Amino acid sequence: MGIREEFEAALRALEREHAARGDDGGAYESVRCVRSPGTMFSEDCRDCWRCLHCRRLTGCVDCTHCADGERLARCTHCEHSRDCSDCAYVHRSVACHECTYCYGCVGLVRKDFHILNVKYDRQEYFDRVAALERA
């Protein structure tokens, strides 16, 4: 076996070992978190890092008060979203970056008060979101 093959075999072994490890990875005061170092006061997070007061996240970094998200980075109060970064109060959205108060948006950058990628004034945004939540 050559050096390249040995390296590849050792890397695969490390990956299998990491995937099999079921510890909390250093989560503090968290419940059912797996491989989530630095995560605090959270529950059911997996492969996260330094998330605070979060629930059911996977692969997230530096998030606070987020829930049901995947691959979020530096987000706060985001729910049911994935592949977003530096967002706040973004819900049911995908691939948004530096957005605030977006609902059901995809691919937006530096936008505020949008629903399905359409801009609304602040009050209309909250009225429409409330109606959607009630329905």
Side-chain angles (χ1 to χ4, degrees), residues 80-104:
H80 302 285
S81 296
R82 67 182 188 276
D83 301 317
C84 296
S85 65
D86 301 296
C87 291
Y89 301 98
V90 169
H91 296 259
R92 302 189 65 190
S93 297
V94 178
C96 292
H97 306 285
E98 298 181 28
C99 293
T100 306
Y101 294 109
C102 289
Y103 195 99

Side-chain angles (χ1 to χ4, degrees), residues 5-23:
E5 291 81 15
E6 287 178 18
F7 172 83
E8 294 297 332
L11 179 58
R12 284 191 301 279
L14 285 172
E15 289 173 347
R16 282 191 304 274
E17 178 185 319
H18 178 73
R21 193 173 60 216
D23 65 5

